[in-house]
């Protein structure tokens, strides 16, 4: 398999922000907000759940813009989805902080910046239509993706999280997301190829099955590494060629094989 390697994001005056939790960025490039005075995008979901949380969510979206997220569709989706509805009630007041939070079973909901960065970075060249997420967790990122993409499939290996995500997405009427209880390291061959694949857990190496399930021109983003992890973006450039770019340093929960029932 021919993989061309380019590294970006290094040596650009990274400001060290150390985080000890999971599914977070380790170092942040602080980019001044281009539109600090611009109104936040209008919410897409109208539901009582969103009413009390619109202001903290608008503040979260402004922070994402200040951190360099500029894709309007992604920002509107982050504004629309009530992140507090995906965490335990006891943690709801922290739902709009720039942090990952525990969701049980040793797993976490990803930091908002990580979610926005991964989704925005698969939309840079063309707009994907059919997208796979590996690692549904609580279902938050899948819900955000459902606002951006036409068809979203998401796969989770822990049965209890799969059940919980299914129930949450149903109660928010986000039935467009197709959830699967399975091992995402194998991808979803019955549905492939995908225009984009977003992996929400880190392996030492990105599973090769996922590269093979990208359409030509398709983009995969995944954290990679055991100790130090980095987001890696892989674009399929031909039937047997892929282009690889390394992005920011991050910390994710581990990608594991097999099912937990
Ligand atoms: N997408 C989430 C983050 C989930 S955390 C969000 O919305 O914030 C990562 C998830 O990946 C965990 O729930 C973990 O169980 C799952 N995971 C790890 N290895 C996996 C695999 N091989 N297949 C499917 N899911 C996996």
């Amino acid at each position: 398999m021919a993989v061309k390697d380019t590294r970006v994001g290094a040596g650009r005056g990274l400001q060290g922000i150390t985080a000890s939790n999971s599914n977070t960025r380790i170092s942040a490039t602080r980019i001044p907000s281009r539109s600090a005075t611009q109104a936040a995008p209008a919410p897409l979901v109208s539901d009582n759940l969103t009413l009390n949380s619109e202001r903290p969510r608008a503040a979260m979206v402004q922070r994402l813009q200040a951190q360099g997220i500029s894709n309007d569709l992604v920002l509107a989706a982050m504004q629309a989805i009530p992140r507090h509805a995906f965490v335990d009630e006891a943690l709801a007041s922290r739902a709009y902080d720039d942090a990952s939070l525990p969701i049980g079973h040793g797993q976490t909901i990803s930091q908002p910046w990580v979610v926005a960065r991964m989704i925005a970075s698969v939309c840079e060249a063309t707009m994907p239509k059919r997208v796979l997420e590996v690692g549904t967790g609580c279902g938050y990122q899948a819900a955000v993706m459902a606002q951006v993409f036409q068809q979203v499939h998401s796969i989770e290996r822990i049965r209890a999280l799969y059940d919980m995500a299914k129930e949450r997405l149903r109660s928010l009427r986000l039935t467009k997301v197709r959830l699967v209880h399975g091992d995402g390291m194998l991808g979803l061959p019955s549905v492939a190829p995908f225009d984009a694949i977003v992996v929400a857990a880190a392996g030492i190496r990105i599973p090769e099955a996922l590269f093979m399930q990208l359409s030509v021109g398709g983009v995969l983003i995944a954290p990679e590494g055991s100790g130090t992890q980095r987001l890696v973006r892989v674009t399929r450039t031909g039937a047997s060629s892929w282009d690889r770019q390394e992005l920011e340093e991050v910390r994710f929960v581990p990608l594991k094989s097999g099912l937990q029932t």
Side-chain angles (χ1 to χ4, degrees), residues 23 83 86 103-105 107-111 115 118 133-143 154-158 161 180 182-186 200-202 252-260:
N23 294 16
R83 190 172 186 255
F86 290 84
I103 56 170
H105 306 273
Q107 309 302 322
T108 56
I109 181 172
S110 300
Q111 178 193 22
V115 171
M118 290 211 286
E133 177 191 37
V134 174
T136 316
C138 59
Y140 173 68
Q141 178 158 278
S154 183
I155 183 162
E156 170 59 51
R157 64 179 289 278
I158 300 179
L161 289 177
V180 177
D183 181 356
M185 289 179 79
L186 309 174
F252 277 71
V253 295
L255 185 68
K256 293 185 178 170
S257 63
L259 299 185
Q260 187 174 316

Side-chain angles (χ1 to χ4, degrees), residues 148-192:
V148 177
F149 305 115
Q150 264 175 33
Q151 208 184 104
V152 177
H153 301 262
S154 183
I155 183 162
E156 170 59 51
R157 64 179 289 278
I158 300 179
R159 177 83 209 193
L161 289 177
Y162 160 83
D163 288 338
M164 201 195 297
K166 198 163 196 171
E167 177 51 31
R168 284 212 168 103
L169 292 171
R170 197 195 54 74
S171 68
L172 291 169
R173 291 183 223 101
L174 291 167
T175 46
K176 172 175 159 182
V177 181
R178 294 169 206 185
L179 293 186
V180 177
H181 177 226
D183 181 356
M185 289 179 79
L186 309 174
L188 209 50
S190 59
V191 183

Side-chain angles (χ1 to χ4, degrees), residues 10-238:
R12 283 193 288 137
L14 295 179
Q15 188 185 335
I17 297 174
T18 306
S20 57
N21 48 5
S22 303
N23 294 16
T24 38
R25 171 172 49 170
I26 302 301
S27 308
T29 306
R30 290 286 172 200
I31 299 167
S33 173
R34 288 187 299 109
S35 48
T37 53
Q38 194 181 304
L44 300 178
V45 174
S46 75
D47 188 293
N48 281 342
L49 271 171
T50 65
L51 295 178
N52 300 332
S53 61
E54 263 171 34
R55 285 174 68 177
R57 210 153 54 242
M60 176 188 80
V61 168
Q62 281 207 345
R63 200 173 53 228
L64 291 172
Q65 285 181 306
Q67 290 171 327
I69 306 294
S70 57
N71 183 313
D72 287 338
L73 270 177
V74 175
L75 293 169
M78 299 293 290
Q79 177 65 46
I81 298 299
R83 190 172 186 255
H84 66 275
F86 290 84
V87 295
D88 195 86
E89 243 177 277
L91 294 171
S93 64
R94 291 165 57 194
Y96 299 101
D97 292 357
D98 199 16
S100 60
L101 295 169
I103 56 170
H105 306 273
Q107 309 302 322
T108 56
I109 181 172
S110 300
Q111 178 193 22
W113 180 86
V114 162
V115 171
R117 172 69 169 132
M118 290 211 286
I119 299 174
S121 78
V122 297
C123 301
E124 279 178 18
T126 53
M127 202 55 202
K129 289 195 176 76
R130 188 190 305 189
V131 179
L132 172 68
E133 177 191 37
V134 174
T136 316
C138 59
Y140 173 68
Q141 178 158 278
V144 176
M145 295 202 305
Q147 302 286 349
V148 177
F149 305 115
Q150 264 175 33
Q151 208 184 104
V152 177
H153 301 262
S154 183
I155 183 162
E156 170 59 51
R157 64 179 289 278
I158 300 179
R159 177 83 209 193
L161 289 177
Y162 160 83
D163 288 338
M164 201 195 297
K166 198 163 196 171
E167 177 51 31
R168 284 212 168 103
L169 292 171
R170 197 195 54 74
S171 68
L172 291 169
R173 291 183 223 101
L174 291 167
T175 46
K176 172 175 159 182
V177 181
R178 294 169 206 185
L179 293 186
V180 177
H181 177 226
D183 181 356
M185 289 179 79
L186 309 174
L188 209 50
S190 59
V191 183
F194 296 98
D195 305 319
I197 300 179
V198 174
V199 185
I204 295 169
R205 285 271 161 268
I206 300 166
E208 205 160 303
L210 299 180
F211 294 144
M212 303 309 296
Q213 290 177 31
L214 277 178
S215 54
V216 172
V219 186
L220 171 148
I221 186 150
E224 191 186 67
S226 50
T228 304
Q229 299 172 3
R230 218 166 247 292
L231 280 180
V232 174
R233 179 169 52 200
V234 175
T235 306
R236 187 166 195 176
T237 51

